[in-house]
């Protein structure tokens, strides 16, 4: 029954998004091309493909540039253009932008639903920003970045998926052809060359752009003092992310999970619930995500912070991608 309902809706949604893309492709809807180098990160899929760790990686990779980052600020309670300042809360600017701003104080961060207005306002404020990175901008076609990165989850590749609501794609697979590069995220560290070639062959059906592979390494959880959580420890999981189930599966390999408090993605867990969890599990480590910690840190007393641990997700990519990115943006001379 669900299939009978979702498939016709899928065809309608696919038709609408395809027609919208046609209008942009024909120049009937105008794209804005900023004057400074810009990088866009996005996906075709609803749900987590690892955009935030990728933006984190790009900020490290281009740390020699004067960087600006513009996000939508999903889940925030404000609207319009805002610069993220040290005093900005996750509720004001969104949990992921707040987390990234904490990790990269050398860059300037902004949130704006309208990315075109966002970069125009940011440029008015800071004309010295060399390069802008746009988070989750693939379908925001009024802005045309110089270098558009399409992320595809190794476990849920776009070429095996379908448009909403029959599948989880925001638009047709053909949208992959707009990407300047396709990155397969969350793949195994030991992925074989033959498997890479098989994936590249599938991607080539929809995009002629280079394909890179990005394993995501989950590091040992640490608390605010840099102390690592001992393997085998009893823990309580606390998460409000798109992939709560995967978070549980990952951490259950190394820790004894007593309880998992799981909430919908970007949910702001009420302070009273945080206090209840801390009180109920007084002698147990609390294991949460980086983006959840930025939302709940203020609700945790100093006496409890030492037992709150977060695993950091790091992108592992070789030098080839960095060289390719810099060459395409004109940051180095082409050979």
């Amino acid at each position: 029954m669900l299939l009978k309902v979702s498939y016709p809706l899928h065809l309608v949604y696919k038709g609408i998004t395809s027609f919208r893309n046609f209008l942009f492709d024909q120049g009937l809807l105008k794209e804005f091309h900023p004057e400074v180098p810009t990088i866009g990160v996005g996906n075709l899929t609803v749900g987590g493909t690892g955009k935030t760790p990728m933006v984190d990686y790009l900020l490290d990779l281009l740390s020699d540039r004067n960087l600006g980052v513009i996000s939508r600020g999903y889940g925030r309670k404000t609207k319009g253009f805002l610069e993220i300042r040290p005093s900005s809360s996750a509720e004001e600017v969104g949990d992921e932008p707040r987390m990234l701003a904490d990790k990269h104080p050398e860059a300037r961060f902004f949130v704006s639903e309208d990315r075109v207005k966002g970069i125009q306002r940011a440029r008015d404020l800071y004309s010295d920003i060399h390069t802008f990175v746009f988070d989750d901008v693939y379908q925001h076609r009024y802005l045309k970045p110089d270098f558009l990165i399409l992320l595809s989850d190794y476990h849920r590749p776009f070429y095996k998926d379908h448009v909403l609501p029959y599948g989880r794609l925001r638009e047709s697979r053909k949208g992959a052809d707009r990407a300047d590069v396709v990155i397969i995220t969350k793949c195994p560290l030991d992925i074989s060359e033959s498997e890479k070639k098989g994936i590249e062959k599938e991607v080539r059906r929809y995009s002629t752009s280079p394909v890179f592979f990005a394993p995501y390494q989950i590091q040992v959880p640490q608390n605010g003092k840099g102390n690592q959580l001992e393997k085998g420890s009893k823990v309580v999981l606390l998460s409000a992310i798109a992939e709560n189930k995967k978070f549980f599966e990952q951490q259950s390999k190394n820790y004894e999970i007593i309880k998992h408090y799981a909430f919908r993605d970007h949910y702001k867990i009420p302070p009273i619930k945080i206090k209840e969890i801390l009180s109920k599990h007084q002698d147990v480590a609390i294991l949460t995500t980086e983006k959840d910690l930025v939302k709940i840190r203020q609700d945790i007393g100093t006496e409890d912070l030492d037992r709150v641990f977060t695993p950091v997700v790091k992108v592992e990519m070789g030098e080839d991608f960095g060289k390719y990115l810099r060459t395409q943006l004109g940051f180095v001379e082409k050979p």
Side-chain angles (χ1 to χ4, degrees):
M1 180 63 184
L2 182 61
L3 178 62
K4 291 181 179 179
V5 174
S6 65
Y7 192 73
L9 292 175
H10 145 84
L11 294 176
V12 172
Y13 187 80
K14 183 178 180 179
I16 292 171
T17 54
S18 296
F19 180 66
R20 178 177 182 268
N21 282 328
F22 171 80
L23 295 178
F24 277 107
D25 294 340
Q26 297 301 311
L28 299 174
L29 291 177
K30 301 299 181 183
E31 296 176 308
F32 175 73
H33 189 183
E35 296 177 355
V36 294
T38 50
I39 302 168
V41 179
N43 56 26
L44 296 180
T45 311
V46 173
T49 54
K51 291 189 299 295
T52 302
M54 181 56 64
V55 173
D56 185 24
Y57 168 78
L58 291 172
L59 297 180
D60 283 333
L61 185 67
L62 300 173
S63 59
D64 58 319
R65 309 286 298 179
N66 193 2
L67 295 168
V69 183
I70 300 180
S71 304
R72 176 186 173 187
Y74 188 84
R76 64 185 173 123
K77 293 185 177 180
T78 58
K79 291 187 179 297
F81 175 87
L82 286 175
E83 179 180 359
I84 300 179
R85 301 182 181 277
S87 59
S88 301
S89 69
E91 288 186 309
E92 292 173 319
V93 299
D95 48 15
E96 291 168 347
R98 175 69 271 172
M99 180 194 78
L100 287 170
D102 287 343
K103 297 179 73 173
H104 298 276
E106 73 285 352
R108 293 190 175 97
F109 288 79
F110 313 90
V111 289
S112 178
E113 299 91 341
D114 187 323
R115 308 306 201 282
V116 174
K117 289 182 179 178
I119 191 171
Q120 290 171 335
R121 290 285 303 278
R123 289 280 289 155
D124 287 341
L125 290 172
Y126 302 103
S127 60
D128 61 332
I129 295 179
H130 297 160
T131 307
F132 279 89
V133 178
F134 290 89
D135 182 19
D136 197 10
V137 76
Y138 205 85
Q139 283 75 37
H140 197 94
R141 293 205 58 184
Y142 288 102
L143 178 86
K144 184 175 177 57
D146 293 299
F147 192 82
L148 187 57
I149 299 173
L150 173 64
L151 304 182
S152 181
D153 190 330
Y154 169 85
H155 303 283
R156 292 189 294 109
F158 75 89
Y159 51 78
K160 289 185 178 181
D161 209 340
H162 303 276
V163 173
L164 292 165
Y166 184 57
R168 300 185 67 177
L169 296 184
R170 299 172 176 179
E171 59 176 292
S172 166
R173 301 173 188 176
K174 294 179 181 179
D177 196 42
R178 296 200 306 276
D180 293 295
V181 66
V182 178
I183 298 180
I184 308 300
T185 62
K186 307 179 186 179
C187 56
L189 277 170
D190 59 352
I191 184 172
S192 67
E193 289 302 317
S194 61
E195 186 176 6
K196 285 182 180 180
K197 289 179 181 178
I199 292 172
E200 288 178 13
K201 183 178 179 181
E202 292 294 333
V203 172
R204 287 283 174 268
R205 296 169 60 192
Y206 307 99
S207 174
T208 58
S209 297
V211 179
F212 289 88
F213 295 84
Y216 280 28
Q217 283 284 79
I218 302 173
Q219 300 182 340
V220 178
Q222 297 183 355
N223 64 10
K225 293 182 177 179
N227 299 321
Q228 293 186 345
L229 182 60
E230 186 177 346
K231 191 172 183 178
S233 299
K234 293 182 179 181
V235 300
V236 168
L237 291 192
L238 181 61
S239 62
I241 58 176
E243 297 182 319
N244 286 311
K245 183 179 179 181
K246 183 170 289 186
F247 183 55
F248 179 93
E249 292 172 350
Q250 290 167 344
Q251 300 308 320
S252 64
K253 296 175 183 177
N254 297 311
Y255 304 103
E256 182 182 343
I257 299 173
I258 296 174
K259 176 77 174 178
H260 185 190
Y261 294 91
F263 304 89
R264 70 176 185 275
D265 195 18
H266 299 286
Y267 179 67
K268 172 62 171 73
I269 306 167
I272 191 170
K273 185 64 176 179
I274 299 298
K275 291 178 181 178
E276 176 189 322
I277 293 171
L278 292 170
S279 177
K280 187 174 181 179
H281 306 281
Q282 292 185 16
D283 300 320
V284 181
I286 306 296
L287 190 50
T288 189
T289 70
E290 285 188 286
K291 79 171 189 176
D292 285 312
L293 184 59
V294 300
K295 292 183 292 185
I296 66 175
R297 184 187 288 115
Q298 63 186 14
D299 302 321
I300 302 173
T302 53
E303 68 280 1
D304 286 314
L305 270 176
D306 287 351
R307 63 186 181 99
V308 178
F309 293 79
T310 57
V312 176
V313 180
K314 281 291 185 182
V315 176
E316 300 285 343
M317 294 183 74
E319 294 181 359
D320 288 349
F321 173 73
K323 291 178 180 178
Y324 182 77
L325 172 63
R326 286 180 176 274
T327 299
Q328 294 303 305
L329 290 172
F331 296 165
V332 296
E333 293 184 2
K334 294 184 179 181

